[in-house]
Amino acid sequence: MHLKSFMKLVEIQTKVASVIPLLLGTAYVLYQYNKFDTINFLLFFCSLILIDMTTTALNNYFDWKRANKRHGYNFEVHNSIEKYQLRERTVLAVIIIMLLLAIAIGILIVIRTNLVVLAVGALSFLIGICYSFGPLPISRTPLGEAFSGFFMGFVILFLAVYIHVYDGGVLNYTIAGSDILLRIGMPDIISIFLVSLPLLFGIANIMLANNICDVEDDVENGRHTLPVYIGRKKAIVLFNALYYASYADILFLVLVGVLPVLSLLTLLTLIPVYKGLRLFNSIQSKKDTFPVAVKSFLMIGAIMTATIFATWIFPALNI
């Protein structure tokens, strides 16, 4: 397998959807807790990318395997296995190697932290597999957007924070005989969840935009995605609403002091995001307007991350 076909198989350009939550979580843990573990960060980064690539490769593999029609609707262009005529055995070998590497690194992270990381990581891995594998993959159901948004937007950000403060009061456990006592710092968890919402909505919208553009293809191949289930028009309304909810969330978090005042600069992205929404609302095309969802996610996530980092570096900016 050549590098070009591998990059297409794992859709390397989409990995930013994992990196942005990692960076935002890192900025937030520095700003709120002033803690950072370099080794844990690097291990988590490698494991995260490997799991993301494995999940994407699995999704492309099973889309190719289950496809009733491999020509038409640009399937032969979008699916890397069909486009590059990759051997099935080679694809499976690559998937297994990435999976084993991700598991090995994940074990190292658990050894350096605690079993909470193992539990959350194992659940995320299970969902990642179920997302593409099984008799009814999550990606082929109306729940695909919710699962991808929650686990990539919130869970990744949570772990990006937790690997640095695992010995604090965010989420801890005590084993006493046959009992396991769990202590949850609800204010911390709620704050982390609310901070993650713009990313959660943004990632859900990337999948939603993809499924809106692929409605005809999904119907042809028996994928009952959310746009297929609720209809294209309602899906577009939801697509728009999630962006506006993101801005409302950011404004609320600044007002209650969870995010720095500088994060209000993120609201300026509403101008280009609104222009992108108008374009997407007029035509839904994988080639021409799908990038709107990715660009909007990048703008919101990048500005949020940058403003939090800046406030941590220059505390005087936090009025």
Side-chain angles (χ1 to χ4, degrees):
M1 182 184 298
H2 296 294
L3 180 61
K4 185 177 181 180
S5 56
F6 171 77
M7 293 299 187
K8 179 66 175 176
L9 175 66
V10 301
E11 295 179 19
I12 197 67
Q13 73 279 4
T14 66
K15 301 313 115 183
V16 68
S18 295
V19 173
I20 291 293
L22 169 62
L23 294 179
L24 179 57
T26 302
Y28 182 74
V29 77
L30 286 168
Y31 171 70
Q32 285 288 1
Y33 302 95
N34 200 32
K35 289 187 175 182
F36 183 77
D37 188 307
T38 304
I39 296 178
N40 285 354
F41 173 82
L42 293 175
L43 288 173
F44 184 59
F45 174 80
C46 293
S47 179
L48 178 63
I49 295 300
L50 283 167
I51 290 175
D52 195 348
M53 291 194 300
T54 302
T55 303
T56 302
L58 273 172
N59 190 45
N60 282 327
Y61 172 73
F62 284 110
D63 275 351
W64 173 80
K65 193 74 172 176
R66 294 191 179 99
N68 297 322
K69 185 177 180 181
R70 294 179 179 173
H71 294 279
Y73 301 110
N74 289 322
F75 181 86
E76 66 276 14
V77 174
H78 298 309
N79 188 279
S80 56
I81 301 175
E82 188 68 24
K83 179 178 181 178
Y84 294 102
Q85 293 296 297
L86 301 177
R87 295 176 59 187
E88 183 175 357
R89 184 183 303 176
T90 302
V91 172
L92 290 175
V94 168
I95 290 172
I96 292 172
I97 291 171
M98 291 191 298
L99 179 58
L100 292 177
L101 286 172
I103 291 174
I105 297 173
I107 292 173
L108 287 177
I109 299 173
V110 172
I111 292 173
R112 291 182 54 83
T113 55
N114 60 33
L115 294 177
V116 171
V117 175
L118 176 62
V120 176
L123 177 60
S124 301
F125 175 72
L126 177 62
I127 294 299
I129 296 299
C130 292
Y131 187 83
S132 305
F133 185 67
L136 186 61
I138 296 173
S139 64
R140 289 171 169 251
T141 74
L143 298 175
E145 285 81 358
F147 273 88
S148 62
F150 180 80
F151 279 92
M152 295 188 70
F154 169 64
V155 173
I156 290 177
L157 190 146
F158 169 76
L159 286 175
V161 172
Y162 191 76
I163 58 173
H164 302 288
V165 295
Y166 61 91
D167 54 351
V170 176
L171 182 60
N172 300 100
Y173 63 91
T174 302
I175 300 177
S178 59
D179 297 324
I180 299 178
L181 305 177
L182 192 64
R183 181 182 180 277
I184 302 175
M186 288 306 298
D188 294 285
I189 298 296
I190 291 173
S191 294
I192 293 170
F193 178 73
L194 290 176
V195 169
S196 77
L197 278 183
L199 302 190
L200 189 158
F201 292 153
I203 290 170
N205 262 352
I206 289 176
M207 182 177 181
L208 182 58
N210 182 69
N211 287 335
I212 290 173
C213 294
D214 286 345
V215 167
E216 292 80 8
D217 191 14
D218 287 339
V219 170
E220 183 75 26
N221 285 301
R223 292 191 289 264
H224 304 286
T225 61
L226 184 60
V228 172
Y229 187 76
I230 66 175
R232 186 189 293 269
K233 289 184 178 180
K234 290 182 180 179
I236 293 174
V237 171
L238 177 61
F239 180 75
N240 285 256
L242 289 179
Y243 284 119
Y244 296 129
S246 297
Y247 290 110
D249 175 67
I250 293 169
L251 179 59
F252 171 76
L253 289 177
V254 171
L255 291 175
V256 298
V258 174
L259 289 180
V261 175
L262 197 62
S263 290
L264 288 175
L265 290 176
T266 310
L267 301 183
L268 295 177
T269 63
L270 179 58
I271 298 172
V273 167
Y274 176 72
K275 291 180 180 178
L277 287 176
R278 290 187 61 185
L279 180 62
F280 187 85
N281 292 343
S282 63
I283 181 173
Q284 299 82 50
S285 163
K286 201 74 165 285
K287 177 184 177 181
D288 301 316
T289 59
F290 168 71
V292 163
V294 179
K295 291 177 181 177
S296 298
F297 168 76
L298 284 175
M299 282 190 290
I300 295 171
I303 299 299
M304 279 186 72
T305 302
T307 55
I308 297 173
F309 266 129
T311 306
W312 172 69
I313 296 171
F314 305 106
L317 293 174
N318 197 17
I319 303 172

